[in-house]
Amino acid sequence: MTSDEPGVCRRVAMVSVHTSPLAQPGTGDAGGMNVYVLESAKRLARRGVAVDIFTRRTSASDAPVVEVEPGVLVRHIAAGPYEGLDKEDLPGQLCAFAAGMMRVAAHSPEGHYDLVHSHYWLSGQVGWLAADRWDVPLVHTMHTMARVKNLHRAEGDALEPRGREIGEAQVVEAADRLVANTEDEARELIRHYDADAARVEVVHPGVDLDVFHPGDRSEARVAVGVPEDAVLLLFVGRIQPLKAPDVLLRSAATLVRRDPSLRGRLVVGLLGGASGVAVRTPMALDRLAEELDIADLVRFVPPTDRDTLATWMRAADVVAVPSHNESFGLVAVEAQACGAVVVATRVGGLPTAVGDAGVLVEGHDPHVWADAIEAVLDDPERAGELSRRAVERSRAFGWEATAQRLAAVYEAALTTPRRASIDDADVLTGIPTAVTP
């Protein structure tokens, strides 16, 4: 370690192989995890914990090292072609990525990194090797899990591969600490991966309350070009089956059929870009909107900066989060911080994120969703109360609280005995392999 004081973490090697914290959330594979990595790193640095974020280089224009702010470096590692690699291709580049990390460490003072914190299973595989070679603890955050995604996958979504399941099980077994976004995710780790409950810590993601905060709805609508008297239903996120933006379109069509007068006022905003399998097999939401006879009501908005995103959220009557599964649901918390009424599926971490300050819907039946949205639109007093509760609830999710909790997890990892080394037979085989239904 770089400090003689037990439990003190001075520098962390944070690993995010498949997506850069500098990428624009809402497109490709960039999403809530990108925000989590960058924002937690910045808050940790302000607490005196320097963070080097290792991510794959995806462009010749990427500088080898980018200083985000004092104490936070993004290190771009060459591993495979800069462009044209899907996330599914990246397991074949983990060796090259790990070699790049080893080279960085070789040019640093001995004991440069006190701890490795990996995000997502691909990073966990690399982080496992780095932590073993540097003889430091491994802290891992899953973000999503193959076995959970397979249980809740949307129609049209491919099964997560067996290789990912095995890789995740190996990382779970090897990690000194596992960070879960919610209590529900912690239970899933224990249930589906037989994680040691004593090594699972719950740390809620945060929200930047300086960016996401209430504001004047009329001004927000002028800024995004939505009429003052419009009914604005908003979806924010990657356009993929897992996020279920089609549910909002079908629900909007149901609302128009119920009340034809809405056609003159309804605006359905879809803010995000294609991701995952949807890049190669687009969801064709524009065609769906035409089939539903609401194409004239739908606005497709490309991923945008956070200030503009917050403006859209302030302008909305309802922000819909109809995902089939979410480890947390950062969009929901960001929307609530802006005072938006959130209607979300009761799955994964969304009940934790939304709580009693929004509306939770069972399943994805468009008629049920239309009922939930209609109940908000038809009751301004209730909508106002939910908005007030949403803002109050969001204040508990600041990134400073996340960083404080992560620092405590790091301290615990540094002051307890290390887990098994990389040559441990059980770790290498990736057992347990059974999936609890």
Side-chain angles (χ1 to χ4, degrees), residues 134-434:
W134 300 338
D135 193 25
V136 298
L138 172 64
V139 174
H140 181 71
T141 305
M142 297 288 274
H143 292 283
T144 63
M145 292 174 269
R147 291 172 180 170
V148 176
K149 287 187 72 173
N150 285 341
L151 287 171
H152 301 283
R153 67 191 176 101
E155 183 179 350
D157 249 356
L159 280 168
E160 292 296 319
R162 176 69 168 155
R164 175 180 173 180
E165 288 192 35
I166 295 171
E168 287 177 342
Q170 290 173 328
V171 174
V172 167
E173 181 65 22
D176 297 275
R177 284 292 186 279
L178 293 159
V179 175
N181 289 326
T182 64
E183 288 77 5
D184 184 71
E185 186 183 358
R187 288 189 291 269
E188 289 173 337
L189 273 166
I190 295 166
R191 180 183 181 189
H192 298 298
Y193 291 85
D194 200 26
D196 179 358
R199 293 185 293 116
V200 179
E201 308 279 359
V202 175
V203 180
H204 297 315
V207 58
D208 189 338
L209 298 173
D210 292 330
V211 174
F212 298 95
H213 56 77
D216 186 273
R217 176 177 288 184
S218 297
E219 291 181 4
R221 292 192 165 196
V222 169
V224 299
V226 171
E228 173 65 27
D229 64 346
V231 174
L232 175 58
L233 308 181
L234 183 65
F235 168 90
V236 175
R238 288 171 287 167
I239 305 301
Q240 59 177 202
L242 180 70
K243 303 294 184 179
D246 58 300
V247 171
L248 180 57
L249 291 186
R250 297 179 193 280
S251 303
T254 301
L255 290 171
V256 171
R257 285 196 298 271
R258 291 178 180 177
D259 181 5
S261 69
L262 267 178
R263 179 168 291 280
R265 296 188 298 131
L266 187 63
V267 177
V268 183
L270 299 180
L271 200 163
S275 172
V277 69
V279 173
R280 299 183 297 280
T281 309
M283 293 188 71
L285 296 179
D286 52 348
R287 189 164 65 244
L288 176 61
E290 291 178 1
E291 293 172 358
L292 295 170
D293 193 27
I294 59 168
D296 57 320
L297 310 181
V298 179
R299 289 181 57 178
F300 293 94
V301 184
T304 185
D305 61 86
R306 294 193 302 163
D307 287 328
T308 305
L309 172 58
T311 302
W312 271 99
M313 290 173 167
R314 292 184 198 108
D317 290 283
V318 168
V319 174
V321 188
S323 305
H324 288 271
N325 192 57
E326 291 283 353
S327 62
F328 181 63
L330 190 58
V331 163
V333 179
E334 290 173 342
Q336 288 191 321
C338 293
V341 177
V342 172
V343 179
T345 321
R346 190 188 294 275
V347 294
L350 284 170
T352 299
V354 174
D356 63 355
V359 179
L360 294 169
V361 180
E362 301 287 350
H364 299 85
D365 185 329
H367 297 281
V368 176
W369 271 80
D371 290 343
I373 294 170
E374 193 172 50
V376 172
L377 299 179
D378 290 348
D379 191 344
E381 184 175 343
R382 181 189 181 212
E385 176 59 25
L386 287 173
S387 175
R388 287 188 289 274
R389 293 213 304 252
V391 173
E392 181 64 29
R393 181 177 177 80
S394 69
R395 291 173 182 158
F397 288 107
W399 282 113
E400 288 76 12
T402 303
Q404 181 179 13
R405 188 74 185 92
L406 282 176
V409 173
Y410 295 167
E411 179 180 349
L414 287 165
T415 54
T416 53
R418 292 284 319 284
R419 290 288 293 172
S421 67
I422 203 166
D423 59 355
D424 182 275
D426 288 350
V427 177
L428 288 170
T429 58
I431 60 172
T433 56

Side-chain angles (χ1 to χ4, degrees), residues 76-160:
H76 291 109
I77 302 297
Y82 294 153
E83 298 175 355
L85 281 185
D86 295 324
K87 185 167 64 174
E88 294 79 8
D89 299 323
L90 293 182
Q93 299 304 320
L94 296 184
C95 181
F97 192 97
M101 285 187 63
M102 296 303 108
R103 281 193 291 271
V104 171
H107 289 89
S108 303
E110 185 177 354
H112 189 59
Y113 297 109
D114 297 319
L115 180 142
V116 176
H117 186 174
S118 54
H119 295 268
Y120 192 69
W121 79 275
L122 293 170
S123 304
Q125 288 282 315
V126 175
W128 171 26
L129 172 64
D132 185 76
R133 291 295 176 263
W134 300 338
D135 193 25
V136 298
L138 172 64
V139 174
H140 181 71
T141 305
M142 297 288 274
H143 292 283
T144 63
M145 292 174 269
R147 291 172 180 170
V148 176
K149 287 187 72 173
N150 285 341
L151 287 171
H152 301 283
R153 67 191 176 101
E155 183 179 350
D157 249 356
L159 280 168
E160 292 296 319

